[in-house]
Each structure stands twice: as structure tokens, then as C-alpha cells.
Amino acid sequence: MTTPAVLDHVDAVTAVLEGAGLIVYLGGAPPGTSPTDTEPYIVLYPEPGAALTRSLADDRTDFTAVVQLTCVGLTAGQALNVSDRARAAMTPVLAVAGRLTWRPEHLDGQPVQRDDDVTPPNFYAVARYRLRSTPA
Amino acid sequence: MGELDSLLAAGRAAHQALMVDTCTIVRPGTPVLDRTTSALTPGPGTVLYDGPMRIKPQRTPSPTEAAERRQVIARYNASLPFDAIPADELRIGDMVTVTASADARMVGQVMNVMAIDYGSTATAWRLTLEDLT
């Protein structure tokens, strides 16, 4: 019995987003990184997730986790467009080795936010997706 | 010319002699979004100033959280000739690009206008610029 791993699922999310031509970071942007005209990006904030009981045998092999996609751009339109492309990329089932996955479920989001702490301002579009899988 | 005027003229000439760097100040145009690639194509900018400048760092860098990372905002005092007249009133966010400097590391640096000072007895037209690290 293999305990499901959140990072395998995060890798799958990263793969589909990068496959769509998007720039993806995990847990924050690296030093020196800011959105540009041609390089907006997405920062993933996944929760650790939960291994769920699959049967009365208490085999905790099913998995669920919520991942937040924070899309960062130089304009509201750019951040929202990155979010749109991410949603399209997250439509198929994810490829996680040894797992059968559900299609990511779009849970909710937040209104686009403007950050005037820096000049030019940054814009954020936030969406959360639920990931689910079971052993293959 | 009164004594004060003479003094100010001398001060302004002396200050301008220190403006060994040059810069352009441009107001960015409205960008156009490519919805396939998310790329922004900048609209044509408006050149507001092109000429000498003196720039000095303020020694008060301040950390902030932006773009999903820690950033440090560095501020600079920029001095332009007292009689410099921009093509339009400067605004926050106008882009200042250093085009020539004895400090080669500064050439090409892009900063943003954050504050504009006025003063009838100033020896230069001072701006506060902001840069991110």
C-alpha cells in the first residue's frame, strides 16, 4: 500500500501548466523575479492534502488536496488571462504515476487584486482547485 | 538682478555642473494583451524629458512583499536642471531610464517617478525615484 504524495500531484499540475507555456513557481517567486510584459507567472500554494480511507479496511490510499494558483501580472487583464490559460490547462485529468486522477475541480477564486506597494503595480488573480486521485 | 537671484543662479549653475549623468523620462503607453500568450505589447511611450541628471541613493531601502516574493524598494534622489520643462506634467509611474553615467552599472537602469518636489529657491528640480530589487 503506497501512501499518496502531494508533491507527485503538484508535479502533475506544474507539468500541465508549463505544457501550456506558463511559468510556474512553487510556494513563492524566486529572488529577482517580477512579472514582465512577456513573463507573467503562476505561483502554486498547495496544501499538504489528505490520505482518505478507500474502504472499511482503512487503507488510506485515496488522496485529496487543494492547490491555489496565484497568477501574477502587470495588468489586471494579463493576470486574468494567465488564470484563463491555467483553467484550460487544468481541464484534462492529471497524469500522476501509479494513480488514477479526477479532473481538477475549480473550487473558487478571488477578485483580481492590485498591489501598489511596488511601481509599476502588480496584479493577482487567485483560483483554487481540488485535486483527487486513487491508486491505479 | 538681486543678490538672491545671483546666488541662486550661481547655485543652479554649480548644481547643474554635477549632473554628469543623463536620462530619459517616458510615460509608458497603454499595453495590448495577447490572449494566446499573455504577453503585453507596450503601447508607444511619450518622451517627457531627455537630458542631464544627477542621481544619489537614499540610504533607506525598505522591504516589502510583492509579486509573491520579498522585494526591497530602493529610492533615489534625482536632480534635473532647475529650468527643465518636461513635455507634460510628471506623474507617479513615469519611467526614468539612465542613458549615460560614469557608473556604467547604472546605464539602462529603469526607475519610476514616485514624488516631484517644487521650490522657488531650489538649485535643481528634484524627483524621488524608486527601483526594485
Side-chain angles (χ1 to χ4, degrees):
Chain A
M1 182 170 64
T2 304
T3 305
V6 66
L7 282 180
D8 293 344
H9 294 76
V10 172
D11 289 345
V13 170
T14 301
V16 296
L17 295 175
E18 290 182 341
L22 296 163
I23 299 170
V24 182
Y25 302 114
L26 174 62
T33 304
S34 292
T36 68
D37 287 339
T38 55
E39 293 188 344
Y41 51 83
I42 298 173
V43 179
L44 302 182
Y45 293 102
E47 63 174 30
L52 304 176
T53 297
R54 192 180 185 199
S55 71
L56 291 176
D58 198 20
D59 48 349
R60 300 177 186 179
T61 55
D62 281 1
F63 181 75
T64 182
V66 173
V67 59
Q68 174 177 302
L69 277 60
T70 300
C71 304
V72 185
L74 281 178
T75 66
Q78 190 184 38
L80 290 169
N81 181 246
V82 170
S83 185
D84 281 345
R85 293 171 63 202
R87 179 164 42 237
M90 296 277 281
T91 298
V93 296
L94 300 176
V96 180
R99 311 284 299 174
L100 297 174
T101 66
W102 278 255
R103 296 168 66 189
E105 177 189 1
H106 191 176
L107 293 178
D108 54 22
Q110 296 175 8
V112 68
Q113 299 170 59
R114 175 184 171 115
D115 183 354
D116 274 312
D117 281 349
V118 292
T119 306
N122 293 161
F123 291 83
Y124 310 107
V126 174
R128 297 194 315 149
Y129 294 83
R130 185 190 308 282
L131 312 177
R132 293 176 63 201
S133 72
T134 192
Chain B
M1 180 180 289
E3 186 178 349
L4 177 60
D5 291 336
S6 299
L7 196 62
L8 286 173
R12 287 165 183 165
H15 200 151
Q16 189 160 344
L18 295 173
M19 298 177 192
V20 295
D21 302 331
T22 62
C23 73
T24 59
I25 303 178
V26 174
R27 177 160 305 146
T30 303
V32 177
L33 175 67
D34 181 326
R35 295 191 178 192
T36 302
T37 64
S38 304
L40 293 170
T41 301
T46 304
V47 177
L48 303 172
Y49 174 81
D50 185 358
M53 172 184 68
R54 182 188 188 202
I55 187 165
K56 293 194 305 181
Q58 295 180 356
R59 299 305 304 157
T60 53
S62 59
T64 189
E65 179 74 30
E68 302 306 299
R69 71 174 180 91
R70 187 171 195 248
Q71 303 204 27
V72 176
I73 298 171
R75 291 204 162 141
Y76 294 84
N77 294 321
S79 299
L80 309 184
F82 180 79
D83 55 1
I85 303 293
D88 194 2
E89 186 175 358
L90 297 187
R91 298 179 192 155
I92 291 175
D94 287 339
M95 294 167 49
V96 179
T97 304
V98 179
T99 51
S101 173
D103 184 347
R105 295 164 298 192
M106 284 215 314
V107 177
Q109 286 279 337
V110 180
M111 304 174 190
N112 291 278
V113 172
M114 288 305 296
I116 302 129
D117 294 343
Y118 301 99
S120 56
T121 57
T123 57
W125 189 31
R126 291 178 174 85
L127 311 176
T128 300
L129 309 181
E130 188 176 279
D131 188 22
L132 292 175
T133 305

